[in-house]
Amino acid sequence: ATLEGENTAESGPVEEREASELVVGVSISTLNNPFFVSLDEGISDLASENGTEVKSVDAQNDTAKQTNDVDDLIQQGVDILLINPVDSSAITPAVESANAAGIPVITIDRSSDGGEVVTLVASDNTEGGEMAAEYIMEISGKDVVTVQLEGVPGASATRERGKGFMNIAEDSLDVVDSQTANFDRAEGLTVMENMLQANPEIKAVFAQNDEMALGAIEAIQSAGLTDSIQVVGFDGTEDGIKAVEEGKLSATVAQQPGEMGRLAMQAAYDYFAGETIEDYIASPLELVKK
Amino acid sequence: MEVKMTGIKKSFGSNSVLRGVDFDIQVGEVHALMGENGAGKSTLMNILTGLHKSDAGEIRIDGEEKRFENPKEAEDYGISFIHQEMNTWPEMTVLENLFIGKEFKNKLGIVQTKKMRALAEKTFNELGVTLDLDEDVKNLSVGQQQMIEIAKSLMTNAQVIIMDEPTAALTEREIDILFKIIRTLTDKNVSIIYISHRMEEIFKISDRITVMRDGVSIDTSLTAATNNDEVVRKMVGRDLEDYYPEKHSEIKDVVFEVRDLTQKDRFQNISFQVKSGEIVGFSGLMGAGRTEIMRSIFGVDPLDKGEIFLEGKKITINNPSSAIKEGIGFLTENRKEEGLILDYSLRDNISLPSIDGFIKKGIIDTKAESEFATMLMKRLKVKAESEFDAASSLSGGNQQKVVLAKWIGIGSKVLILDEPTRGVDVGAKREIYQLMNELADRGVAIIMVSSDLPEILGVSDRVIVVHEGNIAGELSKSEATEEKIMKLATGGY
Amino acid sequence: MNDIKESKGHSKISLGKLGPLLALIVLIVLVTVMNPGFIAPTNLLNLLRQVSTNALIAFGMTFVIITGGIDLSVGSTLALSSALMAGAIAGGLDPLLAMLMSLILGTVLGGINGLLITKGKMAPFIATLATMTIYRGLTLVYTDGNPITGIGDSFIFKYVGRGYLFGIPFPVILMLISFLILFIVLHKTTFGRKTFAIGGNEKASFIAGIKNDRIKIGIYAISGLMASLSGIIITSRLNSAQPTAGGSYEMDAIASVVLGGTSLSGGRGRIVGTLIGALIIGTLNNGMNLLGISSFYQQVVKGIVIIIAVLLDRKNKK
Amino acid sequence: MNDIKESKGHSKISLGKLGPLLALIVLIVLVTVMNPGFIAPTNLLNLLRQVSTNALIAFGMTFVIITGGIDLSVGSTLALSSALMAGAIAGGLDPLLAMLMSLILGTVLGGINGLLITKGKMAPFIATLATMTIYRGLTLVYTDGNPITGIGDSFIFKYVGRGYLFGIPFPVILMLISFLILFIVLHKTTFGRKTFAIGGNEKASFIAGIKNDRIKIGIYAISGLMASLSGIIITSRLNSAQPTAGGSYEMDAIASVVLGGTSLSGGRGRIVGTLIGALIIGTLNNGMNLLGISSFYQQVVKGIVIIIAVLLDRKNKK
Ligand SMILES: Nc1ncnc2c1ncn2[C@@H]1O[C@H](COP(=O)(O)OP(=O)(O)OP(=O)(O)O)[C@@H](O)[C@H]1O
Ligand SMILES: Nc1ncnc2c1ncn2[C@@H]1O[C@H](COP(=O)(O)OP(=O)(O)OP(=O)(O)O)[C@@H](O)[C@H]1O
Ligand SMILES: O[C@@H]1[C@H](O)[C@H](O)CO[C@H]1O
Ligand SMILES: [Mg+2]
Ligand SMILES: [Mg+2]
């Protein structure tokens, strides 16, 4: 009786490879979200510029499916895996399997709790949450009535952004409600509508991503409260940035998913060029405001 | 085993179905239970076997008071019930059907197919049944399914066997076998409770007759000491004149004709004519293909070949809808499965095939619809409180009249009636015959498929006999006798 | 015997019929007691607007369920027709035409379900499970997983989801109009009568000359049409078409229909019940949010309410 | 007449029975031609391991569907029983005991479905739709929406999802053992007979003395048990219990059962078919990944394959 991923293949010196000979396996948490679509595009853009073959799979936000997907990529003998985990803990065994097969792993956007990874390319979600809370304080003042729209329960982004946000908000904002809208625009709309009914005196909203923020804005607009409520989103998607420019969204903590993808792909090239790689590559966060 | 039921009462909601019934069974007798549709015969038996609970009354078995919690308990005690509505599992095999709920199994709960197969084969031999034990029951004819029900009950070694209309779907030959079996059983001191609407059978097989009317047991007498008319009088509460009413309709031109109808492996080159005002009886053994022919004419099943003419004009029928548009009506042999929507009101049922005729500005004119339904119900003497009663609340005979009302409602020029009186009591039967005559008087051409020979002889102007998918012969009213029909039906010449 | 008459219900008003309404009233009273803000007119209008998108889908689903079928593909139909509409508008098509196109598309997608079920003789569950996957996949292929935006200039298009008529949100008006039309279709026309007949006894209906296949295809087409109408409202409200729109909407729609007293085994049902059912679901969602109940507990409560309502309804009908 | 006999086919091997198997073989050949890597033993074992979790659920679902029911709650049952197990292990309970507890819990959750359906006389669809929501809500409440980790020390626990026995992944072994047991239960015992009987004619079964309610409760309990077993494997493989685990797993399970030739209307079915159905779904998922088909198109293809397979099966049986 043996266990999968038990005996890690010893990591000898990396065999140097040209970008054009590489086959890269990419596992994305979900392509039903523009954020990850950009991330995926960032990877494949840089790959095609360098003639690298990419095999990309979509876990559809299912942790178990992602493990299967990674197995399938391992089966195909890819040279390196770029994994954007659905969940940091659940991805661990898959990373261990890759380790056992001697395939290096780079995680993107979310980390792996276990196994060995070459590097993590991500923005600091906790810091992003803090940035959002601080900005709300800056524009609306201390102790304003604030609500939070949370992402998919359990997702690391939800946890970390919530944690960062509350780090600041606990003492300096009056957070009266926090509900999940599952990173989804339509849910952002209805949840916001209901929150407005329950707390008409709301002055600020932190939405853990732009999709929910855009939904919330529609709710605020139809309640005729556009001028009195500030909304801060997260991600800096195309729609989000446009909304900031139009003055509908106060600000968004912009991640750069495309850049994140490119950074991850670049890290893979660097790895096969024999360079040393940092454990953590920060993808820039930027507060986009008008 | 001796069974004595006294003062049995039972209501379903506000409907009191049994209002004090006395009934007893002696060892080794065949006791016929008679009564109109809805008299409460099946309900009484359901109470005896524990499917329903009585509201009042007492059941004694061999002197001891007894109440079964469920049918299985009654069966284990030696009382077996062959139900009127067949309790089969169409998707399962004959063998599986025979043993459901009482499979032989070993200590591990694994079923022992071999043992069961042996017993089944033995029982089939006794019954003279030749059925593949591995055949799915859905592929069997109604008659064959009925034989399985009988075999099932024989295998339980019951002391009392209740047969609720066991012959409704059997051929003459199968009925003979059944009667022989009943004789051997009674010789072994098994008692039979025999429920049937067929008079001639009752007098052939029973020792005693109990008549029920409106939930009360009217009378019990020795079969030898009574006669047909007396029993009928007790059942319906008045004298019925001739069983088959006189028919005087004028038979005119050919209204309906088919030529060379063929459906591969089912029937071949069927040609016949029906005239205005004429009732043509279709006789034949069970499974001869009569139903199949009628279904194809009506567009339910496709034809491989053949032509259909109505009033001299060739017509094409692709589905029931086009048949109805041409003025053809079809009362199917299975009213519960194909004739009625049981949960729906009488009005909704009656108006269904003509519903497109009740549109006023795109909306159904429900007033006109109700009038239409009540008018037909009156004409057919349907016993019901109102047109809003659910079809399921009517007795079998009345349900059958509702189906007829449907087809009369479309103004049928040709009416196909498949087993129109199956499971219908004497009184209602006669009313249905009268209706058929009335329709014939008004020039409707009627085709009646029936497995009841006396009925075929009593009602038809002309008899067509089908044998294995072919027309074996045609007999005029004056020529037709039971012997001649049977000879044609069995292929003997 | 009484129960049969009642459950069919001609003219007479019966307990069985009132069950869902009573449940709704109890719910409203409960929520109001706990948070009087609930019955503020603005909240009620807000509630109605939220209800409208689910109610529209549930209206179509009512027809489907009365025939004994089910339509799992409504959410995907909504997403696909919305995406193509949004794409067309973004591509310069007149919004009115684009909306019409979306409705036609929804009808066609529903019709495909009907064809699979009738001509293909597939079980409705499995046929619409398959098209649910296919339509969703096509939506993702078409949108490449991105929402479609840049559709927000036309007044008419904005009005559909965000407008008000005499102070009433336009989606609510659309819901009421659709309700009225479908009520008449279901309960007053031969099409409706045939819908019931098929659900009551398919064989008997066929023998009675009803073109079962044609009616069924029509019914699934209606379901698709209502899904696409709901999609137009959602797209207008969100000012964008989401590839994930409508995910698991079938469940809320089915729950609404069943809460309204329509039987999943077919042959029995009322569209008024469905409206009430949708209001129950909507009140639950809105009310629990107002009461600040965490979304995790909300799911638990919603499930329990469904069970209680169905059990009570069963009891009333007994 | 001939064809009818064939579709049932005792001892005789029939086209109808072979339909799903043929579909599977065609699929395997197709994928192999396009990517020979597919039939590499390592990939086949990998494939089987992937299939196992769905297959286990689908085995239980086969019983449910044969009675004419449906179980939408399997995914939530999986999540809830896994979460409680993981919580218990993290809290220091012996992993073996925790797994046992999980299985018992799954059985109980399934049994609750059975109770609602029999004693509550609820339609299976709506009863399990409600418990699907409730069980999921409870999982979220219990986990607070977070995955449960810190369960990874025990060898036995790791072994369940990640171990190998004679080179065969242990989940595959679990799948085969479960298959064998359930095959015998369904096709060789009176419990199985009764399952078919209830699906074929519920009223007649009651009259024949079958305790319909008891059998049905047992069947839903089996379904819950299989879901929790699948959950143990998933939790072990992921080294954590996810609150969202099992989302929409009911759909794949139902699709597997139907692809295997079991009829949604009850009374007919084979568990071998379900195994084949699960393999078809698994081969599709794995094969399309190997072929590098985008996940969007994968959904479209999967839906179309379901339709084709069901249509072909229908045709064979005709
Ligand atoms: N489960 C039930 N619920 C309500 N009413 C019932 C039920 N079973 C029977 N009835 C009613 O009881 C009456 C007697 O029915 P029963 O079946 O006993 O008549 P029957 O004498 O067997 O008639 P038939 O000759 O048509 O078989 C009928 O009016 C029937 O509608
Ligand atoms: N769907 C079917 N598939 C295969 N065989 C069938 C089917 N329906 C009927 N049969 C067979 O076709 C033959 C003709 O049956 P049909 O019902 O037409 O006979 P019938 O003369 O009307 O007798 P009955 O009095 O039983 O109605 C029988 O052998 C029957 O078993
Ligand atoms: O960072 C991403 C994005 O914010 C997305 O909107 C949801 O998932 C998170 O992980
Ligand atoms: Mg009877
Ligand atoms: Mg016949």
Side-chain angles (χ1 to χ4, degrees):
Chain A
T2 51
L3 280 185
E4 153 190 22
E6 207 173 35
N7 31 357
T8 308
E10 84 288 0
S11 40
V14 178
E15 184 195 336
E16 293 189 17
R17 306 272 291 271
E18 287 294 321
S20 57
E21 343 171 275
L22 288 178
V23 181
V24 178
V26 179
S27 168
I28 301 287
S29 61
T30 174
L31 287 175
N32 285 359
N33 180 325
F35 179 86
F36 300 108
V37 176
S38 308
L39 196 157
D40 191 40
E41 279 165 3
I43 296 172
S44 47
D45 284 353
L46 187 58
S48 65
E49 283 165 26
N50 294 289
T52 309
E53 186 187 340
V54 172
K55 297 187 185 249
S56 176
V57 284
D58 168 12
Q60 293 165 358
N61 257 334
D62 179 346
T63 47
K65 181 171 189 305
Q66 186 159 43
T67 310
N68 290 339
D69 286 346
V70 172
D71 281 343
D72 289 346
L73 291 171
I74 294 174
Q75 286 303 322
Q76 296 175 73
V78 294
D79 298 306
I80 187 165
L81 280 162
L82 305 188
I83 302 178
N84 157 236
V86 176
D87 180 82
S88 303
S89 54
I91 200 64
T92 309
V95 173
E96 287 170 353
S97 293
N99 293 159
I103 299 173
V105 177
I106 292 172
T107 54
I108 313 172
D109 181 51
R110 301 164 187 166
S111 61
S112 168
D113 287 352
E116 275 178 40
V117 298
V118 174
T119 182
L120 162 69
V121 183
S123 30
D124 187 335
N125 281 310
T126 315
E127 191 201 320
E130 287 169 354
M131 285 163 71
E134 271 156 4
Y135 184 68
I136 287 176
M137 234 170 29
E138 188 185 316
I139 52 173
S140 304
K142 209 167 149 34
D143 292 329
V144 291
V145 178
T146 309
V147 293
Q148 179 178 224
L149 294 174
E150 299 171 32
V152 175
S156 57
T158 305
R159 280 178 277 152
E160 289 162 11
R161 283 168 209 174
K163 192 172 136 226
F165 180 71
M166 289 313 287
N167 278 347
I168 306 292
E170 204 144 30
D171 299 327
S172 42
L173 294 174
D174 180 13
V175 181
V176 292
D177 204 355
S178 184
Q179 300 266 1
T180 181
N182 284 311
F183 284 137
D184 183 85
R185 195 183 295 199
E187 286 189 48
L189 169 67
T190 32
V191 173
M192 192 63 224
E193 276 174 350
N194 294 335
M195 283 180 161
L196 285 173
Q197 290 300 330
N199 305 290
E201 65 288 2
I202 294 172
K203 289 288 169 290
V205 180
F206 170 49
Q208 290 182 353
N209 78 350
D210 284 347
E211 286 292 300
M212 294 188 292
L214 292 167
I217 284 171
E218 299 296 339
I220 292 167
Q221 216 170 35
S222 52
L225 296 169
T226 314
D227 294 336
S228 59
I229 301 180
Q230 307 292 333
V231 182
V232 175
F234 206 111
D235 277 0
T237 59
E238 221 180 286
D239 279 7
I241 302 221
K242 211 169 101 211
V244 172
E245 280 163 2
E246 288 166 358
K248 292 179 181 164
L249 189 61
S250 311
T252 173
V253 182
Q255 312 192 69
Q256 294 173 24
E259 188 54 31
M260 228 185 248
R262 293 183 79 93
L263 284 172
M265 193 64 238
Q266 189 54 52
Y269 291 147
D270 294 349
Y271 177 82
F272 284 108
E275 292 172 25
T276 33
I277 313 228
E278 296 291 324
D279 286 352
Y280 172 61
I281 300 174
S283 162
L285 271 184
E286 183 195 349
L287 189 75
V288 177
K289 49 195 177 189
K290 196 159 186 190
Chain B
M1 189 184 288
E2 266 178 39
V3 180
K4 199 164 172 64
M5 305 176 79
T6 38
I8 304 291
K9 291 186 182 162
K10 174 74 186 173
S11 313
F12 292 107
S14 60
N15 180 10
S16 59
V17 171
L18 298 180
R19 298 180 292 130
V21 179
D22 299 334
F23 183 69
D24 73 290
I25 305 144
Q26 287 157 15
V27 176
E29 73 164 340
V30 178
H31 194 149
L33 185 54
M34 312 258 332
E36 294 187 279
N37 293 122
K41 305 178 294 289
S42 301
T43 304
L44 184 68
M45 294 301 111
N46 281 330
I47 286 172
L48 174 58
T49 53
L51 189 63
H52 291 324
K53 308 237 169 317
S54 61
D55 302 333
E58 161 184 273
I59 303 172
R60 283 182 179 278
I61 297 180
D62 293 332
E64 214 176 296
E65 178 149 18
K66 193 88 207 163
R67 228 172 213 268
F68 299 112
E69 285 305 309
N70 55 55
K72 184 87 191 336
E73 215 179 285
E75 199 173 281
D76 293 343
Y77 201 83
I79 303 180
S80 160
F81 191 172
I82 303 173
H83 286 261
Q84 178 177 15
E85 313 293 338
M86 258 173 294
N87 288 310
T88 53
W89 291 266
E91 298 289 348
M92 300 176 85
T93 66
V94 172
L95 184 65
E96 285 167 344
N97 264 270
L98 286 171
F99 286 93
I100 287 212
K102 39 181 179 273
E103 293 89 354
F104 294 154
K105 55 179 176 187
N106 65 14
K107 275 183 224 117
L108 293 169
I110 307 280
V111 293
Q112 296 174 303
T113 319
K114 266 194 198 139
K115 267 194 180 171
M116 301 195 306
R117 194 175 283 275
L119 177 59
E121 273 163 5
K122 189 174 143 251
T123 313
F124 273 11
N125 275 338
E126 280 171 24
L127 277 172
V129 174
T130 51
L131 276 179
D132 182 357
L133 286 172
D134 294 323
E135 183 68 79
D136 278 357
V137 162
K138 65 166 178 232
N139 297 329
L140 304 182
S141 71
V142 192
Q144 289 170 322
Q145 295 186 24
Q146 187 66 268
M147 290 309 275
I148 292 178
E149 292 289 289
I150 293 166
K152 230 161 83 179
S153 145
L154 287 183
M155 288 188 323
T156 61
N157 294 317
Q159 290 303 298
V160 174
I161 300 180
I162 304 161
M163 302 185 175
D164 198 350
E165 302 194 36
T167 57
L170 296 190
T171 62
E172 301 287 326
R173 198 172 343 130
E174 287 163 329
I175 293 173
D176 281 345
I177 297 173
L178 177 67
F179 283 5
K180 267 192 211 116
I181 293 165
I182 290 179
R183 286 295 167 226
T184 24
L185 286 171
T186 49
D187 287 346
K188 291 187 214 159
N189 281 337
V190 175
S191 322
I192 310 282
I193 302 173
Y194 193 94
I195 302 175
S196 174
H197 291 293
R198 292 190 177 172
M199 284 298 172
E200 68 279 7
E201 287 178 3
I202 298 294
F203 283 94
K204 212 154 130 192
I205 195 75
S206 71
D207 303 310
R208 287 197 298 161
I209 299 176
T210 291
V211 175
M212 284 176 65
R213 187 167 77 228
D214 296 336
V216 180
S217 46
I218 298 285
D219 171 72
T220 302
S221 21
L222 289 174
T223 309
T226 182
N227 60 47
N228 199 331
D229 291 346
E230 200 180 344
V231 172
V232 171
R233 195 178 325 118
K234 284 179 201 153
M235 277 170 61
V236 296
R238 65 190 150 85
D239 276 316
L240 268 194
E241 306 115 58
D242 19 337
Y243 210 72
Y244 298 105
E246 198 87 24
K247 175 167 180 279
H248 305 287
S249 355
E250 193 185 338
I251 296 175
K252 290 189 248 171
D253 307 336
V254 172
V255 176
F256 185 69
E257 180 175 3
V258 301
R259 284 184 206 154
D260 288 331
L261 299 186
T262 299
Q263 196 188 66
K264 218 171 140 272
D265 300 333
R266 302 260 197 276
F267 53 83
Q268 299 79 38
N269 304 317
I270 303 293
S271 306
F272 63 85
Q273 301 181 330
V274 190
K275 301 197 180 84
S276 161
E278 188 183 32
I279 300 178
V280 176
F282 270 71
S283 189
L285 296 181
M286 200 78 40
R290 295 162 300 169
T291 296
E292 303 281 307
I293 297 170
M294 301 310 156
R295 287 170 69 87
S296 297
I297 291 175
F298 197 64
V300 182
D301 299 330
L303 275 171
D304 293 330
K305 205 181 93 186
E307 294 172 313
I308 302 176
F309 299 87
L310 188 72
E311 291 170 335
K313 269 206 321 266
K314 186 168 179 235
I315 57 173
T316 333
I317 294 174
N318 300 317
N319 48 41
S321 168
S322 51
I324 290 169
K325 283 208 188 80
E326 299 289 353
I328 303 175
F330 182 34
L331 181 140
T332 53
E333 62 182 335
N334 190 336
R335 68 175 166 265
K336 287 197 171 144
E337 273 170 28
E338 297 182 330
L340 290 169
I341 306 176
L342 287 168
D343 285 346
Y344 287 10
S345 69
L346 302 177
R347 182 197 71 181
D348 289 0
N349 272 290
I350 291 173
S351 65
L352 195 56
S354 20
I355 192 69
D356 287 330
F358 289 100
I359 313 174
K360 224 160 111 185
K361 293 188 194 132
I363 303 280
I364 299 175
D365 181 353
T366 44
K367 218 177 122 215
E369 189 195 0
S370 280
E371 279 166 10
F372 173 78
T374 39
M375 182 268 287
L376 282 163
M377 283 165 61
K378 255 192 220 126
R379 230 177 85 193
L380 273 70
K381 304 202 188 77
V382 175
K383 263 181 239 149
E385 267 174 55
S386 83
E387 74 269 29
F388 296 126
D389 285 3
S392 58
S393 70
L394 299 194
S395 72
N398 281 300
Q399 286 182 355
Q400 197 71 319
K401 287 192 213 163
V402 171
V403 186
L404 259 176
K406 233 165 76 161
W407 298 119
I408 293 172
I410 66 163
S412 300
K413 293 177 210 150
V414 180
L415 247 183
I416 305 172
L417 309 175
D418 195 357
E419 310 284 1
T421 66
R422 180 177 277 177
V424 171
D425 68 51
V426 263
K429 260 186 196 165
R430 191 167 186 282
E431 287 174 28
I432 289 174
Y433 301 144
Q434 255 161 355
L435 265 166
M436 287 166 64
N437 286 351
E438 259 175 55
L439 290 168
D441 285 345
R442 287 191 290 120
V444 178
I446 298 178
I447 297 169
M448 178 185 75
V449 176
S450 171
S451 301
D452 190 342
L453 269 183
E455 175 174 278
I456 286 277
L457 291 170
V459 177
S460 325
D461 294 309
R462 192 151 50 91
V463 181
I464 292 175
V465 184
V466 180
H467 169 64
E468 291 182 353
N470 290 294
I471 291 185
E474 201 179 304
L475 302 164
S476 69
K477 191 173 184 98
S478 50
E479 296 172 314
T481 63
E482 287 207 23
E483 292 70 36
K484 279 189 196 159
I485 292 176
M486 279 317 288
K487 204 166 172 188
L488 288 170
T490 50
Y493 221 77
Chain C
M1 223 70 285
N2 275 335
D3 41 358
I4 290 183
K5 260 186 233 155
E6 272 183 8
S7 72
K8 178 71 195 176
H10 300 268
S11 59
K12 269 172 282 175
I13 288 170
S14 64
L15 237 178
K17 242 179 179 170
L18 284 180
L21 191 59
L22 274 178
L24 177 61
I25 292 172
V26 169
L27 201 64
I28 290 179
V29 170
L30 269 177
V31 177
T32 308
V33 167
M34 290 191 275
N35 184 340
F38 177 80
I39 43 154
T42 53
N43 187 50
L44 291 183
L45 286 180
N46 164 37
L47 168 70
L48 284 176
R49 186 171 50 199
Q50 289 178 5
V51 163
S52 65
T53 46
N54 173 36
L56 286 171
I57 299 176
F59 292 160
M61 190 72 81
T62 308
F63 282 76
V64 169
I65 291 182
I66 286 175
T67 65
I70 198 117
D71 186 353
L72 301 178
S73 74
V74 281
S76 302
T77 301
L78 182 157
L80 182 53
S81 58
S82 299
L84 288 174
M85 170 185 69
I89 297 179
L93 187 67
D94 179 73
L96 216 58
L97 278 182
M99 286 192 263
L100 189 67
M101 185 201 74
S102 169
L103 295 176
I104 293 173
L105 186 67
T107 312
V108 170
L109 295 176
I112 292 176
N113 287 331
L115 279 173
L116 288 172
I117 291 161
T118 54
K119 305 303 174 196
K121 298 197 190 348
M122 292 178 75
F125 189 98
I126 203 75
T128 58
L129 176 66
T131 55
M132 169 173 94
T133 319
I134 296 174
Y135 297 166
R136 177 70 61 192
L138 290 176
T139 311
L140 289 165
V141 168
Y142 178 73
T143 60
D144 214 2
N146 290 314
I148 299 180
T149 52
I151 52 175
D153 293 335
S154 137
F155 174 77
I156 288 211
F157 183 69
K158 281 191 193 159
Y159 190 78
V160 173
R162 290 183 266 170
Y164 286 83
L165 193 65
F166 310 122
I168 297 168
F170 195 67
V172 177
I173 306 233
L174 277 179
M175 169 177 84
L176 294 177
I177 293 175
S178 304
F179 172 77
L180 221 74
I181 294 175
L182 291 179
F183 178 89
I184 292 172
V185 170
L186 183 61
H187 294 292
K188 306 279 170 199
T189 70
T190 56
F191 183 86
R193 192 59 79 76
K194 290 171 185 176
T195 303
F196 276 106
I198 290 175
N201 185 340
E202 197 161 337
K203 276 190 195 165
S205 303
F206 181 62
I207 302 267
I210 292 175
K211 300 207 169 79
N212 291 357
D213 286 3
R214 213 181 280 181
I215 302 285
K216 277 199 200 168
I217 294 171
I219 279 165
Y220 284 91
I222 289 179
S223 179
L225 171 67
M226 296 316 288
S228 62
L229 177 57
S230 180
I232 294 178
I233 294 175
I234 292 176
T235 311
S236 161
R237 290 205 71 198
L238 293 177
N239 206 14
S240 68
Q242 305 286 319
T244 53
S248 80
Y249 278 22
E250 69 281 0
M251 293 304 173
D252 266 3
I254 293 167
S256 305
V257 174
V258 172
L259 284 179
T262 295
S263 145
L264 275 176
S265 46
R268 218 152 17 109
R270 294 163 319 119
I271 200 165
V272 199
T274 300
L275 181 59
I276 295 173
L279 287 171
I280 293 178
I281 300 258
T283 305
L284 271 177
N285 287 340
N286 175 284
M288 289 197 287
N289 273 337
L290 289 198
L291 299 177
I293 297 173
S294 106
S295 70
F296 301 163
Y297 280 105
Q298 287 196 14
Q299 295 191 41
V300 179
V301 173
K302 211 161 126 183
I304 292 177
V305 168
I306 292 179
I307 291 179
I308 293 178
V310 173
L311 288 182
L312 281 182
D313 195 36
R314 185 92 348 121
K315 212 152 178 206
N316 276 337
K317 280 188 184 147
K318 255 290 164 76
Chain D
M1 215 71 258
N2 275 336
D3 41 358
I4 289 183
K5 266 191 217 136
E6 268 182 10
S7 76
K8 179 69 193 179
H10 301 270
S11 57
K12 273 170 282 177
I13 286 170
S14 65
L15 237 177
K17 246 183 180 167
L18 284 180
L21 191 58
L22 273 178
L24 177 62
I25 293 172
V26 168
L27 202 63
I28 290 178
V29 169
L30 268 177
V31 178
T32 310
V33 166
M34 291 192 274
N35 183 343
F38 177 80
I39 43 155
T42 53
N43 187 52
L44 291 183
L45 287 179
N46 164 37
L47 168 69
L48 283 176
R49 184 173 50 198
Q50 293 178 5
V51 163
S52 63
T53 47
N54 173 37
L56 286 171
I57 300 176
F59 292 159
M61 190 71 81
T62 309
F63 282 76
V64 170
I65 291 183
I66 286 175
T67 64
I70 199 120
D71 186 353
L72 301 178
S73 75
V74 281
S76 301
T77 301
L78 182 157
L80 182 53
S81 58
S82 300
L84 289 173
M85 170 186 67
I89 297 179
L93 188 66
D94 180 71
L96 216 57
L97 278 182
M99 287 191 262
L100 189 68
M101 184 201 75
S102 168
L103 294 176
I104 293 173
L105 187 68
T107 311
V108 170
L109 295 177
I112 293 176
N113 288 330
L115 279 172
L116 289 172
I117 290 161
T118 54
K119 305 302 174 194
K121 297 193 184 2
M122 290 177 77
F125 189 99
I126 203 73
T128 58
L129 176 67
T131 56
M132 168 174 96
T133 318
I134 296 173
Y135 297 166
R136 178 69 62 193
L138 290 175
T139 311
L140 289 166
V141 168
Y142 178 73
T143 61
D144 210 7
N146 295 318
I148 298 180
T149 53
I151 54 176
D153 292 335
S154 138
F155 175 79
I156 288 212
F157 183 69
K158 278 192 193 159
Y159 190 78
V160 173
R162 287 182 271 168
Y164 287 83
L165 193 66
F166 312 121
I168 297 169
F170 193 68
V172 178
I173 305 224
L174 277 179
M175 170 177 83
L176 294 177
I177 293 175
S178 305
F179 172 76
L180 221 73
I181 295 175
L182 291 179
F183 178 89
I184 291 173
V185 171
L186 184 61
H187 294 292
K188 304 282 171 200
T189 70
T190 53
F191 183 85
R193 273 299 151 79
K194 289 172 185 172
T195 304
F196 279 106
I198 291 175
N201 188 343
E202 195 159 341
K203 210 175 129 203
S205 301
F206 178 71
I207 293 177
I210 294 176
K211 303 212 166 71
N212 290 357
D213 286 3
R214 215 182 278 179
I215 302 284
K216 277 201 201 168
I217 294 171
I219 278 165
Y220 283 90
I222 291 179
S223 179
L225 171 67
M226 297 316 287
S228 62
L229 178 56
S230 179
I232 295 178
I233 295 176
I234 291 177
T235 311
S236 163
R237 285 204 75 197
L238 297 180
N239 203 18
S240 65
Q242 302 288 323
T244 52
S248 80
Y249 278 21
E250 69 281 0
M251 294 303 174
D252 266 3
I254 294 168
S256 305
V257 174
V258 173
L259 283 179
T262 294
S263 144
L264 276 177
S265 46
R268 214 158 15 115
R270 293 164 319 120
I271 200 166
V272 199
T274 300
L275 181 59
I276 296 173
L279 287 171
I280 293 179
I281 300 258
T283 306
L284 270 177
N285 288 340
N286 174 279
M288 289 196 289
N289 269 346
L290 290 198
L291 299 179
I293 296 174
S294 107
S295 71
F296 301 163
Y297 280 105
Q298 286 195 16
Q299 296 191 44
V300 178
V301 173
K302 212 160 125 183
I304 291 176
V305 169
I306 292 179
I307 291 178
I308 293 176
V310 172
L311 288 182
L312 280 182
D313 194 36
R314 186 95 342 127
K315 215 159 179 197
N316 275 338
K317 281 192 181 141
K318 253 293 167 71

